[in-house]
Amino acid sequence: MASDAADSRPHADPPGRKPRVVLGVSGGIAAYKACELLRRFTESGHDVTVVPTAAALEFVGAPTWAALSGKPVSAEVWTDVHEVPHVRIGQTADLVVVAPATADLLARAAHGLADDLLTNTLLTARCPVVFAPAMHTEMWEHPATAENVATLRRRGALVIEPAEGRLTGADTGKGRFPDPAEVFEVAREVMGRAGAANLLDLAGRHVLVSAGGTREYLDPVRFLGNRSSGLQGYALARAAAARGAEVTLVAANVTLPDPAGVKVVHVETTAQLRDAVLAGTTTADAVVMAAAPADYRPSAVSDTKIKKADDGSAPSLALEQNPDILAEISRHRARPGSVVVGFAAETGDAETSVLEMATAKLARKGCDLLVVNDVSGGQVFGSTENEAVLLDATGEPQHVPRGSKSALAHAVWDRVVARFETA
């Protein structure tokens, strides 16, 4: 199951073949959500083999899986025995995703049982393996489940933290299956790094990421804000989770779905952002401040909506400066040895280039790494792509060419991991 195990595939792969994904489905009510996950894999060009447990087929029948995957489906090792499916399926996979993974399935996988096709597949897989647990809170929090999860993680599997929310019946709590679209994104992140020397190089680390833009209210209706969408911060959180980290995401006015396996703290104002970040820095090995806090806030906030003047005059607005969160956590490290990463959205002017401004900001803030964005003309905001320069006080600037925000996120985490390794 470990991601760095030797490749034992029996035949060479033809060029241009589709990536092979095994979608394991265990017997929980969330099995129906795996249909959406399967659709996303097939529509994005993956060759998917669905391997349900017998219990899973009580929730979603084999005809559904066969129709969505375009392949026959079986839970038994005895079907098509001459093709040795209990060995071949795992051997030829590029990724195995078990979604949902019940407490029973996690226990059987952790103890190396091989009593059906899915557990046989897990034993023969030499590719990355991702488990997306779903169960009642009491089952997830039981010491037996905790030990099984720890065992699987120690062996190199990525076990995504379940979400919090409505469970079966009237129950709520931790154990909910994450948004299938977000499970797909984590799986895609894992596949994108399949050749990495250490796929889960953030395992055992707690990282905190901030995202979005804060609002400073003038009255109950109006506020001062900025154009930050939160996309880059969410990409950073998702990438860290895919690399095995425990992730806390402080999201300021972001409407994106919560990334799978990530604890999300929602805030509005810069003061609320500061409080949430400071609370998280006590246990965080790395803090990445991708959020865009408002530099100023109104000195006074009206309890009622400010009315438009009949004479056409505009009200005066007195502002005061907000706390500098990045400088504060950089200069006063709550956790010794932690890595702090800041973001700089700059436009430059006739006298000073974007890079010169960023260099001065790096020295002023005291962070370890600064991600520099040239936002002239409003570029970057709301886009799925980004381009940046990574700047630190000791090395040459690293240019990250225009590409997905996920690619930039991994470039940032590569630099953070490198600092961990040299600390």
Side-chain angles (χ1 to χ4, degrees), residues 267-290:
V267 298
E268 284 191 287
T269 67
T270 301
Q272 292 169 351
L273 177 67
R274 176 181 178 271
D275 289 343
V277 169
L278 291 180
T281 55
T282 58
T283 59
D285 297 292
V287 181
V288 181
M289 290 293 295

Side-chain angles (χ1 to χ4, degrees), residues 88-110:
R88 291 289 182 260
I89 292 174
Q91 282 183 333
T92 58
D94 296 303
L95 177 73
V96 177
V97 181
V98 183
T102 60
D104 175 72
L105 187 283
L106 293 172
R108 289 191 289 139

Side-chain angles (χ1 to χ4, degrees), residues 25 29-33 35 52-53 55-65 68:
V25 185
I29 188 63
Y32 78 94
K33 295 184 179 180
C35 295
T53 63
L57 294 177
E58 297 290 332
F59 292 93
V60 180
T64 299
W65 301 119
L68 291 174

Side-chain angles (χ1 to χ4, degrees), residues 207-287:
V207 303
L208 185 146
V209 178
S210 69
T214 60
R215 296 175 178 177
E216 302 299 340
Y217 284 90
L218 304 170
D219 60 26
V221 177
R222 303 177 182 89
F223 59 84
L224 300 176
N226 58 64
R227 296 178 60 185
S228 179
S229 65
L231 287 169
Q232 186 62 71
Y234 273 56
L236 283 154
R238 188 181 295 114
R243 294 169 79 141
E246 175 192 350
V247 185
T248 300
L249 174 62
V250 182
N253 305 295
V254 180
T255 58
L256 301 170
D258 293 350
V262 172
K263 177 185 177 182
V264 182
V265 179
H266 293 280
V267 298
E268 284 191 287
T269 67
T270 301
Q272 292 169 351
L273 177 67
R274 176 181 178 271
D275 289 343
V277 169
L278 291 180
T281 55
T282 58
T283 59
D285 297 292
V287 181

Side-chain angles (χ1 to χ4, degrees), residues 110-270:
H111 288 81
L113 301 184
D115 54 355
D116 62 8
L117 187 56
L118 179 53
T119 49
N120 273 269
T121 298
L122 289 169
L123 283 179
T124 58
R126 293 299 181 268
C127 59
V129 177
V130 178
F131 293 92
M135 64 196 73
H136 264 69
T137 306
E138 293 84 357
M139 300 174 75
W140 173 252
E141 294 177 347
H142 195 282
T145 302
E147 289 182 14
N148 292 332
V149 168
T151 296
L152 292 169
R153 286 173 172 165
R154 188 171 62 251
R155 292 177 186 162
L158 176 62
V159 183
I160 300 172
E161 289 287 314
E164 295 188 25
R166 184 70 177 267
L167 305 172
T168 55
D171 294 340
T172 61
K174 189 168 185 177
R176 181 181 174 86
F177 188 75
D179 184 332
E182 288 299 319
V183 175
F184 170 73
E185 291 298 333
V186 170
R188 190 162 65 171
E189 295 279 354
V190 171
M191 289 192 75
R193 298 188 67 251
N198 183 1
L199 190 66
L200 303 180
D201 53 7
L202 287 175
R205 300 285 188 177
H206 174 214
V207 303
L208 185 146
V209 178
S210 69
T214 60
R215 296 175 178 177
E216 302 299 340
Y217 284 90
L218 304 170
D219 60 26
V221 177
R222 303 177 182 89
F223 59 84
L224 300 176
N226 58 64
R227 296 178 60 185
S228 179
S229 65
L231 287 169
Q232 186 62 71
Y234 273 56
L236 283 154
R238 188 181 295 114
R243 294 169 79 141
E246 175 192 350
V247 185
T248 300
L249 174 62
V250 182
N253 305 295
V254 180
T255 58
L256 301 170
D258 293 350
V262 172
K263 177 185 177 182
V264 182
V265 179
H266 293 280
V267 298
E268 284 191 287
T269 67
T270 301

Side-chain angles (χ1 to χ4, degrees), residues 286-304:
V287 181
V288 181
M289 290 293 295
D295 292 327
Y296 300 95
R297 65 179 183 269
S299 299
V301 180
S302 175
D303 292 332
T304 59

Side-chain angles (χ1 to χ4, degrees), residues 2 29 47 77 87-88 134 146 152 180 197 214 224 233 276 307 323 326 331-332 347 353 373 376 398 403 408 422:
I29 188 63
D47 178 357
V77 296
V87 173
R88 291 289 182 260
L152 292 169
T214 60
L224 300 176
K307 300 295 189 276
L326 178 59
R331 301 296 184 187
H332 307 286
T347 58
S353 69
N373 286 133
S376 303
Q398 176 189 344
L408 176 57
T422 58

Side-chain angles (χ1 to χ4, degrees), residues 193 196 198 201-202 243 369 390 398 407-421:
R193 298 188 67 251
N198 183 1
D201 53 7
L202 287 175
R243 294 169 79 141
L369 184 69
L390 306 185
Q398 176 189 344
L408 176 57
H410 283 292
V412 172
W413 290 123
D414 287 344
R415 293 289 291 267
V416 171
V417 169
R419 293 190 72 92
F420 287 154
E421 292 174 347

